């Protein structure tokens, strides 16, 4: 009993005395210049160094002190969870996992796995990583901060760097759907506006975070504070080059500033429920504190990338057992697969590359001649996939390149030579939009993520081949009405046979259905239950979601010399639900 009372008294003392440096006054002060773990009991501990410290409870870490200011305040703090907030990890029994002269690795244990904080004597922030022991099959796994809304007033993603909406704005607006509100002036607030494409491509890292006046100071020139996530290695994150995720938002119930770290997410996908092997490791990534200077974060990011894979880190799955994989992809004419998106993932998988997520994944782009290289690939056997990504040589290719049994061997550079990408081999009659799994080039498409932009697209549209331009085609079709493509078949093609209409969708959200017609005769339909559905469009996506592609045969004689039409007629609609276009191609078989 006496020892328990001592622990409680110690905890109260630690929380009540905060010196100007921002480091707690300890009953027994930790050695200066050294990271520390002060274990209060099995469920509570304090970690930190001379510059910051954090109280970690069984689910939530609070009282994040820096320069005498609590950066969490009345907010929830730091936690780790899966399947939304339904399952918060109970992280207890803190201990020092490893300690050297350079760093201290502190681990907190949960039934599902171990969460680590790696501190150095001078680092503002910490490296973090998670090792799986018993996570269930899941789609969403995340770490996050919910921070004081007076200190962190701005958000920075890949697409936005702006003031977060104040809670008062949300409370005075009308809720119209999931975490989305409409102001009196008609504009919208949604937590998905700060979503962005994830920085998952090799050598194209990025960072995201929140920043503002330290302690909520209103004084001109007040000191600033920033909290950032930097991922120099991204092979533990699910999905391909078009992976998007929620990163930052204002918590609508409390006003907390939310900084998300979706290390396995599904916000913009059809499904990505995965079964993870024991020992799978997410991270290490860097949670970084600074004075809010974005230039400083950019510099730090470059340093982290230069040092990755980290020499100091080890795991049981061969973190340092890495090699490189290279090759060249050409089309059937021998042209290089210019700027193809090349993906190294699950071997012999039937999942889309966007939905793969159980293991480790690598993404890069081929150069203008089709050459590609994956660096620092964990030893193993992979499936190689490639899809068009906007270059002219692949803009009309509706096939996906695929090759399995690609090996990566530690300390070796394996070159798989020249590989040929079989294309559909058909003659194009016309095409609207490049095949690149994006709505790029169409009206109203493009960053940043923004709610309700689909409302700008008309119910009825006429597009004339040879006269209309790509910008005349809108990125989303959702309203009751018909979009008609008018085109001429020259007499020299009078003896051509059957044709195929390919409709490539960069995204689809259920609730909209339609029929497809060639010269007034129905040749197919687009509808829920058939199309892979994601929440991307009503979650502010403006370029992509879950890609799908559909081919509709047109029998010989149905297209004739002279004027012809293809029509897509929406028969059932739902606001902010729709399909998002990638490309439409009509070809002779």
């Amino acid at each position: 009993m006496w020892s328990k009372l001592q622990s409680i008294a110690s905890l109260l003392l630690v929380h009540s005395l905060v010196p100007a440096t921002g480091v707690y006054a300890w009953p027994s002060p930790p050695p200066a210049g050294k990271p520390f773990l002060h274990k209060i009991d099995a469920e509570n501990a304090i970690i930190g160094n001379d510059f910051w410290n954090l109280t970690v409870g069984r689910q939530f870490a609070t009282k994040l002190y820096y320069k005498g200011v609590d950066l969490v305040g009345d907010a929830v703090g730091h936690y780790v969870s899966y399947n939304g907030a339904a399952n918060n990890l109970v992280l207890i029994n803190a201990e020092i996992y490893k300690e050297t002269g350079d760093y201290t690795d502190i681990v907190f244990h949960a039934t599902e796995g171990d969460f680590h904080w790696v501190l150095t004597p001078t680092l503002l922030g910490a490296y973090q990583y998670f090792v799986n022991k018993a996570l269930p099959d899941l789609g969403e796994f995340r770490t996050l901060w919910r921070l004081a809304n007076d200190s962190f007033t701005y958000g920075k993603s890949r697409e936005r760097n702006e003031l977060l909406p104040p809670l008062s704005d949300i409370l005075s607006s009308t809720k119209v759907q999931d975490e989305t509100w409409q102001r009196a002036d008609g504009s919208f607030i949604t937590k998905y506006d700060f979503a962005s494409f994830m920085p998952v491509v090799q050598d194209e890292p990025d960072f995201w975070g929140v920043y503002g006046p330290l302690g909520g100071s209103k004084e001109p020139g007040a000191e600033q504070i920033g909290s950032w996530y930097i991922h120099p290695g991204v092979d533990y994150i699910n999905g391909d080059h078009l992976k998007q995720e929620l990163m930052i938002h204002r918590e609508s119930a409390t006003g907390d500033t939310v900084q998300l770290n979706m290390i396995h997410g599904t916000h913009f996908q059809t499904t990505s429920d995965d079964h993870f092997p024991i020992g799978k490791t997410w991270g290490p990534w860097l949670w970084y504190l600074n004075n809010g200077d974005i230039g400083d974060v950019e510099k730090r990011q470059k340093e982290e990338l230069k040092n990755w894979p980290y020499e100091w880190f080890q795991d049981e799955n061969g973190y340092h057992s890495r090699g490189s994989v290279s090759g060249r992809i050409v089309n059937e004419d021998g042209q290089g697969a210019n700027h193809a998106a090349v993906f190294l993932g699950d071997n012999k998988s039937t999942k889309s590359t966007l939905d793969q997520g159980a293991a480790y994944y690598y993404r890069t782009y081929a150069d203008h001649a089709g050459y590609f290289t994956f660096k620092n690939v964990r030893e193993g056997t992979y499936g190689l996939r490639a899809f068009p990504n906007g270059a002219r040589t692949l803009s009309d290719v509706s096939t996906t390149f695929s090759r399995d049994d690609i090996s990566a061997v530690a300390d070796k550079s394996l070159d798989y030579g020249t590989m040929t990408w079989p294309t559909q081999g058909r003659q194009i009659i016309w095409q609207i939009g490049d095949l690149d799994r994006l709505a790029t080039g169409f009206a109203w498409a493009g960053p940043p993520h923004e709610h309700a932009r689909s409302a700008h697209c008309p119910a009825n549209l006429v597009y004339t081949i040879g006269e209309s331009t790509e910008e005349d085609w809108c990125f989303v079709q959702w309203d009751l009405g018909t979009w008609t493509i008018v085109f001429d078949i020259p007499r020299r093609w009078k003896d051509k046979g059957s044709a195929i209409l390919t409709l490539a969708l960069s995204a689809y959200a259920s609730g909209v259905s339609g029929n497809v017609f060639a010269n007034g005769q129905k040749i197919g339909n687009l509808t829920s239950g058939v199309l892979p559905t994601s929440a991307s469009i009503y979650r502010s996506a403006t370029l992509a979601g879950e890609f799908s592609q559909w081919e509709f045969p047109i029998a010989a004689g149905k297209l004739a010399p002279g004027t012809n039409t293809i029509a897509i007629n929406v028969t059932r609609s739902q606001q902010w639900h729709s399909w998002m276009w990638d490309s439409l191609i009509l070809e002779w078989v």
Side-chain angles (χ1 to χ4, degrees):
M1 175 64 74
W2 175 245
S3 62
K4 184 175 181 180
L5 290 174
Q6 281 184 312
S7 294
I8 294 172
S10 173
L11 178 61
L12 291 172
L13 177 61
V14 166
H15 284 180
S16 63
L17 301 176
V18 183
T21 61
V23 177
Y24 289 119
W26 296 85
S28 299
K34 187 177 181 181
F36 53 78
L37 163 65
H38 178 65
K39 188 171 180 179
I40 299 164
D41 55 37
E43 296 187 350
N44 298 277
I46 303 174
I47 63 173
N49 59 22
D50 282 353
F51 299 92
W52 66 273
N53 59 74
L54 176 70
T55 301
V56 184
R58 69 192 307 267
Q59 286 190 335
F60 304 105
T62 58
K63 301 186 186 303
L64 171 60
Y65 276 94
Y66 171 74
K67 293 191 174 183
V69 176
D70 181 1
L71 302 181
V72 170
D74 294 331
V76 170
H78 184 276
Y79 59 103
V80 183
S81 68
Y82 57 92
N83 294 332
N87 301 91
N88 296 328
L89 264 60
V90 175
L91 292 159
I92 58 175
N93 295 322
E95 60 180 328
I96 293 178
Y97 179 75
K98 186 176 182 179
E99 189 171 27
T100 72
D102 297 321
Y103 68 88
T104 301
D105 186 333
I106 301 169
V107 61
F108 291 79
H109 301 285
T111 300
E112 296 90 342
D114 295 332
F115 190 79
H116 294 249
W117 300 74
V118 181
L119 286 67
T120 80
T122 59
L123 177 62
L124 294 178
Y127 295 97
Q128 299 176 318
Y129 65 97
F130 180 85
V131 181
N132 176 49
K133 291 192 300 188
L135 278 171
D137 293 3
L138 55 79
E140 181 177 293
F141 183 45
R142 63 187 187 171
T143 76
L144 68 155
W145 284 101
R146 286 175 56 174
L147 296 163
N149 58 27
D150 59 346
S151 285
F152 299 94
T153 52
Y154 281 80
K156 165 72 170 68
S157 69
R158 301 188 84 180
E159 299 175 7
R160 292 179 183 265
N161 179 18
E162 60 190 58
L163 189 70
L164 289 164
L167 179 61
S168 58
D169 242 15
I170 295 173
L171 296 178
S172 63
S173 300
T174 302
K175 190 169 186 178
V176 293
Q177 68 166 33
D178 168 34
E179 291 301 305
T180 305
W181 296 263
Q182 189 168 23
R183 298 183 180 96
D185 65 3
S187 63
F188 294 93
I189 304 169
T190 172
K191 74 176 184 180
Y192 301 107
D193 282 343
F194 276 85
S196 185
F197 288 92
M198 292 282 283
V200 293
V201 178
Q202 285 191 349
D203 297 329
E204 292 187 11
D206 206 343
F207 57 89
W208 65 96
V210 291
Y211 64 99
L214 181 63
S217 174
K218 305 295 185 183
E219 296 297 321
E223 186 173 0
Q224 302 289 296
I225 181 69
S227 175
W228 312 94
Y229 282 123
I230 299 173
H231 288 261
V234 289
D235 54 0
Y236 43 84
I237 294 176
N238 62 316
D240 61 22
H241 309 61
L242 301 183
K243 170 70 176 174
Q244 303 168 78
E245 263 308 335
L246 181 61
M247 293 180 172
I248 300 154
H249 66 90
R250 174 76 66 205
E251 169 55 48
S252 62
T254 63
D256 295 358
T257 296
V258 182
Q259 181 187 4
L260 278 164
N261 186 35
M262 300 297 304
I263 50 179
H264 192 283
T266 61
H267 278 105
F268 294 85
Q269 295 161 237
T270 297
T271 180
S272 192
D273 287 345
D274 288 299
H275 177 76
F276 307 108
I278 295 174
K280 172 166 178 179
T281 301
W282 283 268
W285 60 86
L286 175 61
W287 163 62
Y288 183 53
L289 278 173
N290 80 342
N291 63 354
D293 182 357
I294 293 175
D296 172 69
V297 190
E298 291 173 343
K299 181 180 177 181
R300 184 73 195 215
Q301 173 191 267
K302 291 176 182 176
E303 292 176 2
E304 298 303 320
L305 183 61
K306 182 173 64 176
N307 293 327
W308 185 85
Y310 297 123
E311 288 186 7
W312 54 265
F313 181 72
Q314 298 284 342
D315 73 3
E316 297 178 0
N317 291 333
Y319 177 82
H320 289 289
S321 297
R322 296 175 183 264
S324 69
V325 173
S326 60
R328 185 187 185 210
I329 302 175
V330 300
N331 64 20
E332 292 165 321
D333 295 330
Q335 289 182 296
N338 182 12
H339 207 254
V342 190
F343 177 84
L344 202 59
D346 297 338
N347 194 40
K348 299 180 180 177
S349 175
T350 58
K351 278 189 173 183
S352 74
T353 52
L354 183 62
D355 290 325
Q356 294 180 28
Y360 299 97
Y361 304 94
Y362 304 88
R363 310 114 181 137
T364 191
Y365 294 105
D367 68 12
H368 70 282
Y371 290 97
F372 66 89
T373 298
F374 293 102
K375 299 178 293 184
N376 295 313
V377 178
R378 283 178 179 257
E379 190 168 58
T381 303
Y382 296 87
L384 182 69
R385 304 289 184 267
F387 58 87
N389 195 244
R392 285 288 108 187
T393 54
L394 298 173
S395 63
D396 58 357
V397 174
S398 61
T399 60
T400 298
F401 175 83
S402 176
R403 179 169 171 177
D404 287 309
D405 299 321
I406 300 293
S407 295
V409 179
D411 304 319
K412 289 188 177 181
S413 298
L414 300 183
D415 188 338
Y416 282 85
T418 299
M419 297 169 277
T420 301
W421 184 335
T423 64
Q424 69 269 32
R426 300 192 285 253
Q427 182 183 3
I428 293 178
I429 303 172
W430 51 256
Q431 179 176 1
I432 304 172
D434 290 344
L435 262 166
D436 56 7
R437 304 194 178 189
L438 297 165
T440 305
F442 296 140
W444 295 102
H449 284 60
E450 182 182 22
H451 179 67
R453 201 186 288 176
S454 58
H456 295 290
C457 293
N460 297 288
L461 182 151
V462 176
Y463 187 100
T464 303
I465 300 297
E467 296 179 10
S468 301
T469 65
E470 199 172 73
E471 292 79 11
D472 295 323
W473 192 264
C474 211
F475 82 119
V476 157
Q477 184 179 2
W478 70 275
D479 204 358
L480 296 174
T482 303
W483 290 16
T484 303
I485 303 160
V486 181
F487 60 99
D488 285 332
I489 297 291
R491 292 199 61 81
R492 68 177 183 276
W493 284 348
K494 63 182 178 63
D495 295 325
K496 291 288 187 180
S498 58
I500 284 182
L501 175 67
T502 300
L503 301 183
L505 308 180
S506 61
Y508 173 71
S510 63
V512 178
S513 297
N515 295 318
V516 184
F517 298 88
N519 288 331
Q521 296 189 28
K522 183 179 176 181
I523 59 172
N525 72 305
L526 300 169
T527 188
S528 300
V530 176
L531 302 177
T533 296
S534 69
S536 53
I537 297 171
Y538 63 82
R539 285 179 171 169
S540 301
T542 58
L543 274 178
E546 186 84 34
F547 173 78
S548 64
Q549 184 173 280
W550 306 90
E551 293 186 343
F552 300 104
I554 302 174
K558 298 299 182 183
L559 300 179
T563 301
N564 294 259
T565 61
I566 294 291
I568 302 102
N569 170 235
V570 173
T571 57
R572 181 170 66 101
S573 70
Q574 184 175 348
Q575 190 177 39
W576 306 323
H577 292 236
S578 52
W579 54 74
M580 186 186 297
W581 291 106
D582 171 23
S583 184
L584 304 88
I585 309 178
L586 184 63
E587 299 169 295
W588 296 118
V589 177

